[in-house]
Every structure is written in structure tokens, then in C-alpha cells.
Amino acid sequence: QANDQLLREIEERKRAEIALRETRSELVHAAKMAALGQMAVGINHELNQPLAAIRSYSDNSRLFLQKGRMQDALWNLEQISELTERMAQIGIQLKQFSRKSSGQLSSIPVHGVIDGALEILSPLIRKTDTWIKVVIEPEHLQVRANHVRLQQVVVNLVSNALQAVEKLAKQEIRIRVYQRDDKVILSVADNGLGILPEHLPHIFEPFYTTKQSGQGLGLGLTITKRILHEMHAEILVIPTDSGAKFECILDKAAPAQS
């Protein structure tokens, strides 16, 4: 009877662990959907601009063709091609970001993750005067991580930084990636008002937020920490003279076997 009871408890624990993993995965995915929802207005603007330009270029091309101005018409068609490629790239990045990830880890280049994250955030960035500086040393540094989920981490941190500097006359965000022993440090720093000492112990707690109503649920940093934990990484708040700085400590990818 004791053995039967123990087996039942083991099975219940396994089911509970599976349910917990599924719940965490759903929470991470829900956070991505919420982030996309917050960016929806900017994304709509980002797509409407090239659509309006395409309409104008196509109308002009028709007139140029009627007048026999072939070179002008060809130039307009080239502009249409470039604009449709731009719209396609936005769609690809959003599709990759919104999909559910298996969580499987692999060796990934950091610059690709950051480029993709900034592409996703470009509609928000263009609405501001924020200066964003990216430094990766060495340039082709790779980490052991999941591409989609690490991209979500960068999107979360840069989104927070954009909100932190939005009311400043001079808005700066610095993204730096470098190697420290067998680890890779990915830091995101802003020149905002920073985090008050009384808030520091709580910023990774669920639903804890210092933002105004409607600017977030207080889950971004909680989910960011959870994502990094599942990739055997961690996140720290680094004291600075001004603004806020977060460091993600990731495993450096092993060199490829020749």
C-alpha cells in the first residue's frame, strides 16, 4: 500500500510538472501577444506609409508609360519593389516573434537577435527621438540560447527603456554585448530616471509595476527572468549613476567542430 501510494504521488507530481511547464509556455506566449498589441498602432502606421507610397508610385508609373517616359516608370517600379520587400521583412519578423517556440537551445549569433528585436520595435522607435547605440565585441559573438525567446528578452528590455526615456529631451539607449570568461553579457542601459531603491527588490515580481495605468501589467521583467532561467541564464540590475541598466548573463556557444 505504501508503494502504491508513493507511485501515485510520483505520477501526480509528474502531471503537475507538465502542467506547470505548459502554463509557463502559455504565459510567455501571452506576453508576446500583449507586446504586439501595444505595438499595433505603430505597426499599422509602418505598413500604411509604404502602401500609400506604392499607390502613388503605381499611379505615376501609369502616367509615365502613357507618355513614353520608360526610365521614369522603371525607377518608380524599383521603388515599389523596395517598399514591398520592406513590408515583407516586417511581416517575417512579426511572424517569427509571435510564433510559439519549442524552447530548444542552439548556438545563435547575437547580432541577429538584436537586429530582429530592433526591427520589431522599429515602429515605436521611429515615433521617438531615441538614439540607440549597439556594440557587439567581437562582432560575430554567439550564445547558447533559443533565438525566438532571446529576441523576446531584448524586445522586453528595449521596450522598457523606450518608456523610461520617452519624456526626456535627450533620449539614449545603449545595447552592449561582450564576453566575460565563458559567459556572454548582454546589457541594455538607458538614461532615464532610473529605478528607486525601494522598487529594486520587487521589480521581478509578477504584476509589480511603477508605470502609469495602461502602460503594462508588470509582467515583462518577470517573464524575461523566467525565459532566461529556462535557458540557464540570469538577469541582474546593475547600479548606475543615472538611468537603469540590466545585464543578461548567457552561456557562450561552444566553438564549431572542424
Side-chain angles (χ1 to χ4, degrees), residues 2 21 46 52 64 73 82 97-98 104 119 140 143 162 165 168 200 215 229 248:
R21 282 197 298 270
E46 190 77 0
F64 288 143
E82 291 179 7
F97 182 70
S98 62
Q104 185 174 357
E119 184 71 25
H140 301 293
V143 294
L162 285 169
V165 302
L168 300 179
L200 284 173
Q215 285 193 327
H229 177 75
C248 303

Side-chain angles (χ1 to χ4, degrees), residues 84-94 119:
T84 54
E85 177 63 23
R86 164 69 181 162
M87 293 173 69
Q89 287 302 316
I90 294 173
I92 289 169
Q93 292 293 344
L94 292 174
E119 184 71 25

Side-chain angles (χ1 to χ4, degrees), residues 225-258:
K225 185 174 182 178
R226 171 54 59 187
I227 291 172
L228 290 168
H229 177 75
E230 291 177 351
M231 294 193 296
H232 313 293
E234 60 179 316
I235 183 169
L236 302 173
V237 186
I238 306 302
T240 59
D241 294 334
S242 63
K245 181 179 180 180
F246 291 88
E247 280 191 355
C248 303
I249 305 172
L250 301 138
D251 288 332
K252 184 177 181 291
Q257 298 294 325
S258 58

Side-chain angles (χ1 to χ4, degrees), residues 27-55:
L27 182 60
V28 168
H29 188 64
K32 286 196 286 189
M33 295 299 100
L36 286 174
Q38 290 176 348
M39 293 186 287
V41 174
I43 293 168
N44 183 59
H45 177 72
E46 190 77 0
L47 294 176
N48 278 339
Q49 278 190 326
L51 279 173
I54 287 170
R55 184 181 298 112

Side-chain angles (χ1 to χ4, degrees), residues 39 43 46 86 89-90 93-94 97 110-128 130-136 147 150-159 161-162 173-177 186-188:
M39 293 186 287
I43 293 168
E46 190 77 0
R86 164 69 181 162
Q89 287 302 316
I90 294 173
Q93 292 293 344
L94 292 174
F97 182 70
V110 182
H111 70 83
V113 172
I114 294 175
D115 288 348
L118 294 180
E119 184 71 25
I120 290 166
L121 290 167
S122 60
L124 292 182
I125 295 170
R126 287 192 178 93
K127 289 169 61 179
T128 72
T130 306
W131 178 80
I132 298 180
K133 175 71 172 178
V134 179
V135 176
I136 303 175
H147 187 283
L150 184 56
Q151 190 177 79
Q152 184 178 357
V153 166
V154 177
V155 167
N156 287 349
L157 293 177
V158 176
S159 294
L162 285 169
I173 296 174
R174 297 176 184 270
I175 303 171
R176 186 185 173 210
V177 186
L186 190 163
S187 70
V188 177

